[in-house]
Amino acid sequence: MRTAPAPTRTRGRLLLVLVAVVVVALNQRPALVGVAPLLGDLRADTGLSSALAGLLTALPVLCFGAFAPVAPQLARRVGLGTAVAASLVLLGAGTALRLLPPVTALYAGTVVAGGAIAVANVLVPAYVKREFAEPGLVMGVYSAALNVGAALAAGLTVPLGLALGWGWRGSLAAWGLLAVLALAVWLPVAGTGRADRAAAPPGTAWGLLRHALAWRVTLFLGMQSIQFYGLSAWLPTLLVDAGLELADAGLMLAVATVTGAVGAFLGPTLAGRLQVRGRGQRPLVGVVLACYLAGLTGLLLAPASATVVWVAVFGVAQGGGFALGLTLVVLRSATPLTAARMGGVAQCLGYLVAATGPVVLGALHDLTGGWAWSIGLLLVLLVPMAWAGWGAARAVVLPEAARA
């Protein structure tokens, strides 16, 4: 079935779309990442246990997986741009809901915000594919903006709350205002969605899994997400156990975030250039795997020696691998709505699997009293990640029949 005609791509419109994509990306992490620095004050105010407070940080990842399949269905009904606008409205509403006094509202708001971000996670890359003939560079900017948004939330949430004197609720509310700004920037480029609805093919996203290529993309994104969320959750603790001071361990996490942003920009940008030349992205998959191998091996054998090197290399692998996974969804899809469907499937399964990473690594640590088995498991998981990435990085797209 014929795909929706793209809007007129003048240079001014493309610049406006790029700005809108960046502002939306900056919104996709702060409302959730900003909770972690506030957990101490939040627990003191609400009386939550450590387990229940930890659930607030685990819920978003589960929501990313659970709500991802909803995104392509929503896009089919109202159009890509309108669906992203709706996600920003829900993000603002979820953030506002968390400010209400009942503790149940805190969790309900987290679920609403997590679901809203899940929709944007899936649909913004599909929108980029529709608007840009060569989406690699824009996907790089988008992926880097995700990292920047997370870093801003981690670093500014507490100082912002102290400066405004609003407490932890006020700190979260400030990030909700960012969603309002993003909506104002996004609406001029959203369109009515009429063309998308007219051109939307029938079928469900899960039908894509009849094709091996979709499974490879899904598995690569899932294995990469386990690496990302698994070690990110425990990296400071691992380094403190290795003998580093707590402040130094926190600094290492910041190093991983910064190098991750660099990898997130370079991965899709280079992937797009390879695509233009008619080549696949296998060299980039190899680089990501090599960085993971070097970083994890260093943390396994000498975590207290040349720590900044291992963490920086691992950060490049994290950022580059995640961004490359998102970009493969775009490049392996023939149309924007196919990209939305593949993104919905891949992110649903990938994030649900990733949510187990911190739990499994923590359990292995409790059983063994160290981190060797946990890091060893991550090294073993590089094998299926390599197999999936090697197949997903071929210069092919899903067959037309996959859209039906």
Side-chain angles (χ1 to χ4, degrees), residues 143-398:
S143 301
L146 290 176
N147 285 55
V148 171
L152 289 175
L156 296 181
T157 296
V158 172
L160 187 62
L162 292 174
L164 297 175
W166 292 348
W168 66 267
R169 283 189 168 90
S171 297
L172 293 180
W175 295 118
L177 295 176
L178 188 60
V180 176
L181 171 63
L183 182 62
V185 176
W186 183 263
L187 285 176
V189 304
T192 64
R194 186 178 296 113
D196 285 332
R197 295 195 300 272
T204 66
W206 297 105
L208 294 177
L209 294 181
R210 297 193 302 268
H211 302 272
L213 179 59
W215 271 111
R216 294 283 187 101
V217 173
T218 298
L219 182 59
F220 179 81
L221 192 59
M223 291 295 99
Q224 196 284 326
S225 296
I226 288 180
Q227 301 282 346
F228 186 101
Y229 288 101
L231 193 57
S232 292
W234 292 111
L235 181 61
T237 304
L238 182 156
L239 295 178
V240 168
D241 289 350
L244 272 69
E245 297 292 333
L246 181 58
D248 293 335
L251 179 61
M252 290 300 100
L253 188 58
V255 169
T257 302
V258 171
T259 59
V262 174
F265 174 74
L266 291 177
T269 302
L270 296 175
R273 291 183 179 179
L274 290 172
Q275 186 79 1
V276 169
R277 297 172 184 172
R279 299 175 57 191
Q281 290 72 38
R282 285 177 170 175
L284 297 179
V285 171
V287 171
V288 167
L289 289 166
C291 288
Y292 266 127
L293 182 61
L296 289 171
T297 302
L299 290 172
L300 174 65
L301 301 179
S305 176
T307 307
V308 68
V309 175
W310 314 134
V311 170
V313 172
F314 182 80
V316 171
Q318 282 185 315
F322 175 71
L324 181 59
L326 293 181
T327 305
L328 289 176
V329 169
V330 171
L331 297 181
R332 299 290 85 88
S333 302
T335 69
L337 285 172
T338 301
R341 286 177 168 177
M342 192 192 297
V345 170
Q347 292 192 39
C348 173
L349 298 180
Y351 280 123
L352 290 178
V353 170
T356 67
V359 177
V360 173
L361 296 189
L364 283 174
H365 173 264
D366 290 342
L367 287 173
T368 63
W371 293 102
W373 281 92
S374 299
I375 297 177
L377 175 61
L378 294 179
L379 285 167
V380 169
L381 291 178
L382 292 179
V383 176
M385 182 177 170
W387 176 82
W390 204 249
R394 291 181 299 139
V396 296
V397 297
L398 282 173

Side-chain angles (χ1 to χ4, degrees), residues 14-25:
L14 291 179
L15 180 59
L16 183 59
V17 170
L18 177 60
V19 171
V21 166
V22 169
V23 176
V24 171

